Amino acid sequence: MTVKIEPTLPKSPSPQLADGQSAAAYNSVRQLRVDLWWSIADVSRRLSLSSLDPLVREELLTTLRRELGDVETLENYYAFPGRRLVSTLRSLAESSHGDVWRAADAIGHTLVGDVAGTNIRIQVAGDSEDSESIQLGVGSQDGRPAFEVLVVADLSSTEEGKLRRDLARLRRPEDAFTYELVFVPSLEDAMVALLVNANIQAAIIRPDFRARSTVDLSVIRHFFAEVDAEDIDSRPAAERAYLLVDRLTKIRPELDPYLIGHAAIEQVAIQQGNRFDRVFLHQDALELHLSILRGVGARYETPFFTALTKYARKPTGVFHALPISRGNSVVNSQWIHDMSDFYGLNVFLAETSATSGGLDSLLDPVGPMKEAQRLAARAFGARQTFFVTNGTSTANKIVTQSLIAPYDVVMLDRNCHKSHHYAQMLAGTNVAYLDSYSLDEHSMYGAVPLSEIKRTLLTYRREGRLDKVKLISLTNCTFDGIVYDVERVMTECLAIKPDLVFLWDEAWFAFARFHPVYRRRTAMAAAATLSERFRSPEYREEYERRCAELDGLSDDELIHERLLPDPDKVRIRAYATQSTHKTLTSLRQGSMIHIYDEDFGERNAESFHEAYMTHTSTSPNYQVLASLDVGRRQVELEGFDLVQRQIELAMTIRDRIAAHPRLSKYFKVLGSSDLIPDEYRPWGRECPLHFGPVAMEQAWGMDEFVLDPCRLTIQISATGIDGDHFKTDYLMDQWGIQVNKTSRNTVLAMTNIGTTRSSVAYLLEALLGIAEHIEAEFEQMGPLSRKAFERRVTSLTSDHPPLPDFSAFHDAFRGDPKGTAQDGNIRRAYFLTYREEVDDSDLCEYISSAEVRRRVEAGEPVVSAIFVTPYPPGFPVLVPGQLFSRDILDFMDALDTREVHGLDHIHGYRVLSRRALTKARQEQKKRMDSRRPASRSGTSAAPESSNGKEPAPVDVVDKEPVATSS
């Protein structure tokens, strides 16, 4: 056999694989694979030298054999270069080292993207019937997108070659895509292939596969959890195929699965055909080929983007609004023609209005816009999806307005985005704020513990006001990367109130749908899982057992038990708002609302439509809408690959900072043990935050909170520079680097699907440059300056102003002043001072911080008239109607941030006057007197227990006790 390379590539860089380095040191199979090929190229290059010492030659030969063996394991799961080519190279490894060197060098360049889409080919020559050329890279020679198809079947080499040739003969130049086949014989191999090879877009399954792999997977075993084969070898053929496809689509739900059967395929199609896109007899190669192309083509479609591009190419006479349409007001102007030079003509050709015709309407879609939103719902696992062109701030207001009415109770994370607080103010709800756990040493909050949520719900049930609680809104994941166990939160809340509606703010988490570890902690995936689970007979039995176990427990005891909802009463009603533009491909302010609401059509469709009309412009930006359509196409076809890269790059930053002596002296990337208290991490160890390792999957399946590895909270206390100045004066002004947010002693960087290795290298270079600058300045300091520097470091490291919890609403704004539930009406306090009458001009006043403190210490209530939000940390410390407290004043006095919204640095805080509070009490009394008595039972109250304790919510959870509220 010979290996023919054309053309010759430039010399590869120095091998990255250290001599003797363990595969366990790698963050991903991708990195290990690339480094192995570079190392093989370097070792074989050295072996090709005639002057090599014999002892060195023998050592290098041993290394080459070992590394070719390791890479052969990996190439079992890729079409390129694939195991056949590696087998060829192994046969040449004893003599033709120059050929091995050039082949490995070409492969290495291709895998890192240096030559993707070129005409470089490796010719595998021989006597076998299926000798062929293997193209380097992902793209085809003519630029068509190319992908790989997984074939799961225990085939002989003859059968494998026949299927490869049969499908290859059916390819045509007019096909929109090209593909290559990856053959694996077992369930275990199939699951590994899907996890390591992101370019697999479809799977062909034959029932004659094995359970276990015969490949030695020791080199990558640590990346994957043990595969449960479920005695699959002993099961009937059809059942084996069903079990396998369920496993594969759980890992990659976008995958197109096809079944090839030998008999009774009609019966299979009737029984379980919905699991497969098509079911074929083994000889239907043409239909299989066309189905593979059609399946990928269905994800490739972009109805609205395609319609917009067609519209832009049409000649049009504009006798309507929009002078900029078709570029008419720009192109021929001598004063602003540079605008078209900068943006290009297409942006103007595509500018139009729904009322002018030619394109679909966002407010009342019937054509390509409606289809684009349907495809987005499919991609993100929702029942309905709606596009939003002015950001998730508006999306949050739409969802909130559609679901609640004035004086309904909304449970809200106080540390959430300001749009939620303003949404409650506009809707006139009674807000019950939930406090997150605090991280005083980093001047930030984490997330809301489930015990806090349950305690609040049980309080409303005990006071007979549970029927007023309509919605809970939580941020998943938080700015700093704290991720909830969404499935558990929904389960236990529904145990207490089975019709509770959930709004999950996933503004920074849209990418999570496309990674198998992240996915289960997203709102749509959790909702779908629970909907299926609660309808099963196994769950009903589990629920009944749990009811008996929890019978007679008090509310205080139930807070610490796992609860399960009544399957006869529970309804899954989940909404997720996502800033597509923040973590996926979209123009600025492109967002989506995803809905999994079992009662949407009956209870919320009309209200949602009205709220959507209220907050959505009649002149939406069509370029933003088209970018949402294209962004959806991208993540359905390559989202898994992009998210894996994003995680790998984040881990590279973590590893490099931790390993570098100067960087680690001044900077530390905080881990889950730093940002999540031990009580919320029952798995108990610092999780290796890279894709694949069993530890990450275990933690993400067990812990109440986990940390998104792509959020890099970098502690900078040792620099003596606070976060605000570090971001502005150093990263931005000196290095041109933008970061997400800061706290007093941290900066938050994050990787995304657009992050490149070059940008990672630049960030590390910048941090090193800052560290060197600090050291150089320190060397030139005198004794007094050094002491001042050390005091700043001590202050940032040890002197932390404690973060305040929510104090309370003044009684005049509380939903029930006589109860213990702490909800209050922001709207009433906010608009109290919006009076036009002259005699109401003294309803608010400005007072200094010192005067506020004097009044608070004297026992006088001081009530905020507006939102007060310091940046950082970026959450409202005070909302309208909230009482000042000593803790809040201590925190505000200790802040060294320059930007505080709602605080006039000259006049002080805007507060409600005594007269305003008197008027508010009078208005509240009138409302309370006219209100009907609240029902004691609420929506899901339980009967009183016979022992006099609180009624027991009865509901349960996997393997652990859980309770419900029925």
Side-chain angles (χ1 to χ4, degrees):
M1 293 184 179
T2 61
V3 178
K4 182 182 179 183
I5 315 284
E6 50 181 36
T8 302
L9 292 174
K11 182 179 178 297
S12 66
S14 299
Q16 301 176 35
L17 189 64
D19 194 17
Q21 183 175 0
S22 169
Y26 282 83
N27 294 323
S28 72
V29 172
R30 183 207 313 273
Q31 292 176 343
L32 172 63
R33 181 182 178 221
V34 170
D35 282 5
L36 277 169
W37 279 112
W38 283 133
S39 184
I40 289 168
D42 184 69
V43 170
S44 55
R45 176 189 62 81
R46 294 165 65 189
L47 282 167
S48 68
L49 301 175
S50 58
S51 59
L52 204 60
D53 181 90
L55 290 177
V56 174
R57 179 178 297 277
E58 189 59 34
E59 289 179 3
L60 289 176
L61 273 173
T62 301
T63 299
L64 182 61
R65 292 170 188 140
R66 184 187 70 245
E67 290 182 346
L68 282 170
D70 288 343
V71 85
E72 186 174 34
T73 295
L74 302 182
E75 295 305 332
N76 276 286
Y77 306 110
Y78 297 90
F80 169 81
R83 65 172 181 260
R84 292 178 303 143
L85 177 58
V86 179
S87 179
T88 300
L89 295 181
R90 291 189 74 173
S91 68
L92 298 171
E94 303 303 319
S95 56
S96 302
H97 300 126
D99 284 341
V100 177
W101 162 35
R102 286 185 288 274
D105 191 63
I107 292 167
H109 277 281
T110 305
L111 293 182
V112 298
D114 288 351
V115 292
T118 71
N119 292 327
I120 297 170
R121 302 175 71 84
I122 293 181
Q123 179 75 32
V124 180
D127 300 329
S128 63
E129 183 180 358
D130 61 335
S131 295
E132 62 179 273
S133 298
I134 301 177
Q135 177 162 344
L136 293 179
V138 174
S140 60
Q141 293 183 54
D142 54 12
R144 288 179 294 171
F147 60 93
E148 296 181 6
V149 177
L150 182 68
V151 181
V152 189
D154 193 3
L155 303 178
S156 66
S157 58
T158 301
E159 290 175 306
E160 180 181 314
K162 183 177 185 305
L163 180 58
R164 192 189 302 274
R165 291 191 302 275
D166 287 347
L167 291 176
R169 279 195 292 264
L170 295 170
R171 297 174 182 172
R172 298 172 297 171
E174 59 266 31
D175 290 342
F177 320 106
T178 67
Y179 63 88
E180 300 290 344
L181 303 180
V182 180
F183 291 87
V184 296
S186 71
L187 178 151
E188 186 173 25
D189 287 316
M191 295 181 69
V192 171
L194 281 192
L195 287 168
V196 304
N197 186 350
N199 202 34
I200 292 173
Q201 299 290 347
I204 301 169
I205 298 171
R206 282 189 9 177
D208 55 342
F209 58 86
R210 299 193 299 267
R212 295 292 178 186
S213 174
T214 58
V215 177
D216 180 7
L217 294 171
S218 57
V219 69
I220 55 173
R221 174 62 68 189
H222 71 287
F223 285 102
F224 312 108
E226 185 69 25
V227 174
D228 180 6
E230 299 182 14
D231 300 322
I232 199 166
D233 285 334
S234 63
R235 295 175 182 263
E239 187 178 348
R240 289 158 49 78
Y242 308 153
L243 288 171
L244 175 59
V245 75
D246 286 347
R247 293 286 196 86
L248 299 185
T249 53
K250 185 177 180 180
I251 297 172
R252 300 271 298 277
E254 75 278 6
L255 192 75
D256 298 323
Y258 304 98
L259 176 65
I260 296 181
H262 294 278
I265 63 168
E266 298 85 357
Q267 185 65 21
V268 171
I270 292 172
Q271 289 179 343
Q272 299 290 345
N274 62 329
R275 281 183 164 91
F276 298 92
D277 286 3
R278 284 287 303 273
V279 178
F280 301 99
L281 277 174
H282 67 280
Q283 68 264 32
D284 292 337
L286 176 60
E287 286 298 308
L288 176 59
H289 170 73
L290 294 176
S291 296
I292 291 170
L293 295 178
R294 184 186 62 186
V296 173
R299 283 180 275 151
Y300 190 80
E301 288 180 4
T302 48
F304 189 77
F305 174 69
T306 301
L308 188 64
T309 57
K310 289 180 179 178
Y311 172 84
R313 289 193 289 265
K314 291 170 56 178
T316 304
V318 179
F319 294 90
H320 187 43
L322 298 173
I324 204 172
S325 178
R326 320 301 293 179
N328 292 334
S329 67
V330 177
V331 175
N332 298 319
S333 169
Q334 67 170 331
W335 300 106
I336 64 170
H337 64 82
D338 52 340
M339 184 179 181
S340 64
D341 295 339
F342 181 76
Y343 285 107
L345 187 58
N346 278 340
V347 72
F348 304 112
L349 293 176
E351 190 60 69
T352 185
S353 168
T355 59
S356 64
L359 281 172
D360 207 357
S361 167
L362 176 62
L363 296 176
D364 187 22
V366 294
M369 178 58 64
K370 184 176 182 179
E371 178 65 7
Q373 293 182 141
R374 184 192 69 80
L375 294 178
R378 178 191 69 188
F380 287 90
R383 290 190 169 188
Q384 292 90 16
T385 289
F386 295 86
F387 289 173
V388 179
T389 60
N390 44 347
T392 301
S393 294
T394 292
N396 290 330
K397 293 166 188 170
I398 291 170
V399 175
T400 299
Q401 180 178 317
S402 74
L403 291 166
I404 57 178
Y407 299 106
D408 283 344
V409 174
V410 174
M411 298 168 60
L412 186 64
D413 172 11
R414 186 171 64 96
N415 191 31
C416 63
H417 188 265
K418 67 177 185 178
S419 60
H420 292 280
H421 303 277
Y422 283 103
Q424 308 313 317
M425 182 272 294
L426 292 172
T429 61
N430 284 355
V431 183
Y433 279 116
L434 303 168
D435 281 314
S436 303
Y437 66 82
S438 63
L439 298 163
D440 293 345
E441 63 273 29
H442 306 304
S443 299
M444 67 178 69
Y445 285 98
V448 181
L450 181 54
S451 58
E452 166 82 359
I453 300 171
K454 290 162 66 177
R455 182 180 290 107
T456 303
L457 281 170
L458 291 169
T459 297
Y460 280 100
R461 192 182 71 171
R462 187 169 57 250
E463 295 187 358
R465 296 180 61 212
L466 190 59
D467 62 310
K468 296 298 293 181
V469 180
K470 304 296 184 182
L471 176 70
I472 180 171
S473 182
L474 299 169
T475 304
N476 189 51
C477 68
T478 70
F479 283 118
D480 304 291
I482 308 302
V483 182
Y484 286 85
D485 186 340
V486 176
E487 190 175 323
R488 181 180 173 188
V489 171
M490 291 177 65
T491 297
E492 298 213 46
C493 288
L494 290 169
I496 301 170
K497 183 172 175 58
D499 61 348
L500 186 64
V501 187
F502 298 84
L503 169 54
W504 293 97
D505 185 336
E506 295 183 343
W508 295 93
F509 213 45
F511 70 91
R513 171 74 186 176
F514 305 97
H515 188 285
V517 177
Y518 280 88
R519 187 179 303 117
R520 70 169 297 272
R521 288 190 177 238
T522 63
M524 294 298 99
T529 298
L530 293 179
S531 180
E532 180 179 0
R533 179 188 174 201
F534 293 157
R535 304 297 178 261
S536 69
E538 294 81 7
Y539 174 77
R540 183 174 294 276
E541 294 177 3
E542 182 185 11
Y543 166 76
E544 290 172 352
R545 286 195 306 271
R546 191 60 178 157
C547 285
E549 293 169 354
L550 299 177
D551 183 39
L553 296 185
S554 67
D555 282 359
D556 288 341
E557 293 169 317
L558 290 173
I559 288 172
H560 305 291
E561 297 285 349
R562 286 214 173 188
L563 313 178
L564 292 180
D566 185 339
D568 293 327
K569 297 181 179 180
V570 67
R571 304 298 296 168
I572 304 300
R573 306 192 65 195
Y575 293 72
T577 55
Q578 293 179 349
S579 294
T580 315
H581 66 100
K582 284 188 170 76
T583 65
L584 299 177
T585 297
S586 168
L587 293 177
R588 192 69 171 168
Q589 294 194 348
S591 296
M592 297 188 194
I593 299 171
H594 303 300
I595 301 173
Y596 198 108
D597 184 349
E598 294 177 340
D599 295 334
F600 183 74
E602 180 181 349
R603 300 183 62 180
N604 198 40
E606 292 183 0
S607 297
F608 185 91
H609 179 71
E610 290 303 310
Y612 195 74
M613 298 286 282
T614 299
H615 294 281
T616 301
S617 171
T618 55
S619 303
N621 187 300
Y622 276 20
Q623 283 75 31
V624 173
L625 293 171
S627 72
L628 288 171
D629 197 15
V630 174
R632 185 275 313 157
R633 174 213 278 176
Q634 180 182 41
V635 292
E636 276 205 288
L637 291 167
E638 59 177 339
F640 177 56
D641 184 42
L642 293 172
V643 176
Q644 284 193 81
R645 290 177 186 268
Q646 162 182 340
I647 298 170
E648 291 164 17
L649 291 174
M651 287 311 303
T652 297
I653 296 173
R654 291 174 181 272
D655 293 344
R656 296 296 183 267
I657 290 177
H660 194 284
R662 182 167 286 163
L663 287 176
S664 60
K665 177 181 177 180
Y666 292 98
F667 307 108
K668 176 188 177 184
V669 182
L670 302 181
S672 55
S673 60
D674 300 301
L675 296 174
I676 304 172
D678 292 345
E679 62 189 290
Y680 308 121
R681 297 188 303 116
W683 192 69
R685 285 176 282 171
E686 179 69 34
C687 177
L689 295 172
H690 46 79
F691 169 71
V694 178
M696 181 176 177
E697 296 191 32
Q698 288 178 334
W700 279 61
M702 182 185 303
D703 289 352
E704 180 172 345
F705 301 115
V706 292
L707 180 64
D708 173 11
C710 300
R711 304 303 177 92
L712 303 161
T713 300
I714 305 173
Q715 188 175 34
I716 59 171
S717 302
T719 66
I721 307 166
D722 67 80
D724 191 31
H725 286 87
F726 191 91
K727 175 185 73 172
T728 304
D729 300 342
Y730 288 84
L731 287 178
M732 191 63 219
D733 291 351
Q734 293 186 20
W735 292 89
I737 290 176
Q738 302 175 2
V739 293
N740 188 282
K741 68 179 280 287
T742 66
S743 72
R744 187 166 176 266
N745 57 8
T746 68
V747 294
L748 175 64
M750 59 180 290
T751 56
N752 57 53
I753 65 170
T755 304
T756 64
R757 294 180 67 181
S758 296
S759 58
V760 166
Y762 186 58
L763 174 61
L764 294 169
E765 179 187 350
L767 293 176
L768 184 59
I770 293 170
E772 291 173 344
H773 172 75
I774 292 170
E775 288 194 343
E777 282 198 333
F778 187 80
E779 289 298 322
Q780 300 176 24
M781 290 179 184
L784 292 178
S785 297
R786 289 193 175 192
K787 287 183 179 180
F789 175 80
E790 290 166 358
R791 283 196 299 271
R792 291 197 303 272
V793 172
T794 299
S795 175
L796 292 172
T797 306
S798 306
D799 301 337
H800 310 296
L803 294 166
D805 286 336
F806 183 79
S807 54
F809 285 104
H810 187 276
D811 282 352
F813 305 105
R814 287 181 57 195
D816 183 0
K818 297 180 180 179
T820 59
Q822 292 297 314
D823 57 279
N825 195 284
I826 298 175
R827 181 184 178 89
R828 289 180 55 234
Y830 186 89
F831 284 107
L832 184 61
T833 59
Y834 276 56
R835 307 292 180 126
E836 297 181 358
E837 298 87 346
V838 175
D839 62 343
D840 284 340
S841 61
D842 60 347
L843 292 177
C844 70
E845 59 181 325
Y846 284 91
I847 59 177
S848 67
S849 177
E851 177 60 16
V852 174
R853 184 177 293 277
R854 186 196 66 78
R855 294 187 189 183
V856 169
E857 291 179 351
E860 181 179 341
V862 183
V863 181
S864 180
I866 57 175
F867 294 93
V868 177
T869 307
Y871 280 83
F875 63 89
V877 174
L878 289 160
V879 302
Q882 182 183 348
L883 289 163
F884 281 77
S885 68
R886 288 189 183 91
D887 289 344
I888 291 172
L889 292 170
D890 290 343
F891 175 76
M892 293 298 294
D893 288 346
L895 276 179
D896 47 14
T897 182
R898 292 176 287 188
E899 184 178 357
V900 182
H901 300 174
L903 172 63
D904 189 312
H905 292 284
I906 297 175
H907 300 102
Y909 293 99
R910 187 182 185 192
V911 303
L912 296 176
S913 67
R914 294 179 178 87
R915 184 164 178 265
L917 295 177
T918 300
K919 290 179 70 72
R921 289 191 191 94
Q922 291 170 350
E923 291 175 357
Q924 184 190 57
K925 186 175 186 306
K926 290 179 182 179
R927 184 180 62 84
M928 297 292 289
D929 290 344
S930 63
R931 191 178 66 178
R932 293 181 179 179
S935 168
R936 286 295 298 175
S937 61
T939 305
S940 57
E944 294 286 334
S945 60
S946 58
N947 61 6
K949 294 184 178 180
E950 293 296 331
V954 236
D955 291 20
V956 190
V957 155
D958 311 326
K959 299 181 182 178
E960 294 191 42
V962 184
T964 224
S965 87
S966 191

